[in-house]
Coordinates of all heavy atoms in Angstrom, one line a residue:
M1 N 155.4 -167.4 83.3 CA 154.1 -167.1 83.1 C 153.3 -168.2 82.4 O 153.7 -168.6 81.3 CB 154.0 -165.8 82.3 CG 152.6 -165.3 82.0 SD 152.6 -163.7 81.2 CE 154.1 -163.5 80.5
L67 N 138.5 -143.8 104.0 CA 137.4 -143.3 104.7 C 136.2 -142.9 103.9 O 135.1 -143.2 104.2 CB 137.8 -142.0 105.5 CG 138.3 -142.1 106.9 CD1 138.6 -140.7 107.5 CD2 137.3 -142.8 107.8
T68 N 136.5 -142.3 102.7 CA 135.5 -141.9 101.8 C 135.8 -142.4 100.4 O 136.9 -142.8 100.1 CB 135.3 -140.4 101.8 OG1 136.5 -139.8 101.3 CG2 134.9 -139.8 103.1
S134 N 151.9 -137.0 104.3 CA 151.2 -137.1 103.1 C 151.0 -135.7 102.4 O 150.7 -134.7 103.0 CB 149.8 -137.6 103.3 OG 149.0 -137.5 102.2
G172 N 144.9 -144.7 102.1 CA 144.5 -146.0 102.4 C 144.8 -146.4 103.8 O 145.8 -146.0 104.3
D184 N 161.4 -148.0 105.2 CA 162.2 -148.9 104.3 C 161.8 -150.3 104.3 O 162.3 -151.1 103.5 CB 163.7 -148.7 104.6 CG 164.2 -149.1 106.0 OD1 163.3 -149.7 106.7 OD2 165.3 -148.9 106.3
G194 N 145.9 -154.3 105.2 CA 144.8 -153.4 105.0 C 143.5 -154.1 105.3 O 143.4 -155.2 105.8
Y217 N 134.9 -160.1 103.1 CA 134.9 -158.6 102.8 C 133.4 -158.3 102.6 O 132.7 -158.9 101.7 CB 135.7 -158.3 101.6 CG 135.8 -156.8 101.4 CD1 136.7 -156.0 102.1 CD2 135.0 -156.2 100.4 CE1 136.8 -154.6 101.8 CE2 135.1 -154.9 100.1 CZ 135.9 -154.1 100.9 OH 136.0 -152.7 100.6
A289 N 159.3 -128.4 84.4 CA 159.3 -127.3 85.3 C 160.8 -126.8 85.4 O 161.7 -127.6 85.5 CB 158.8 -127.6 86.7
A298 N 167.4 -118.6 85.1 CA 167.0 -117.6 86.1 C 166.3 -116.4 85.5 O 165.4 -115.8 86.1 CB 168.2 -117.1 87.0
S343 N 146.0 -119.3 75.4 CA 146.5 -118.1 74.8 C 147.9 -117.7 75.4 O 148.7 -117.0 74.8 CB 145.6 -116.9 75.1 OG 145.5 -116.6 76.5
Y381 N 166.5 -135.1 83.0 CA 166.4 -136.6 83.1 C 165.0 -137.0 82.6 O 164.0 -136.4 83.0 CB 166.5 -137.1 84.6 CG 168.0 -137.3 85.0 CD1 168.6 -136.3 85.7 CD2 168.6 -138.4 84.7 CE1 169.9 -136.4 86.1 CE2 170.0 -138.6 85.1 CZ 170.6 -137.6 85.8 OH 171.9 -137.8 86.2
K390 N 161.0 -140.1 77.0 CA 162.3 -139.9 76.3 C 162.0 -139.3 74.9 O 162.7 -138.3 74.5 CB 163.1 -141.2 76.2 CG 164.4 -141.0 75.5 CD 165.2 -142.3 75.5 CE 166.6 -142.1 74.9 NZ 167.3 -143.4 74.9
Q456 N 162.6 -124.7 95.6 CA 162.6 -123.4 96.4 C 163.3 -123.6 97.7 O 163.5 -124.7 98.2 CB 161.2 -122.9 96.6 CG 160.4 -122.5 95.4 CD 159.2 -121.8 95.7 OE1 159.2 -120.7 96.3 NE2 158.0 -122.3 95.3

Side-chain angles (χ1 to χ4, degrees):
M1 174 171 28
L67 265 184
T68 60
S134 169
D184 61 9
Y217 185 82
S343 62
Y381 276 97
K390 182 177 181 179
Q456 294 194 62

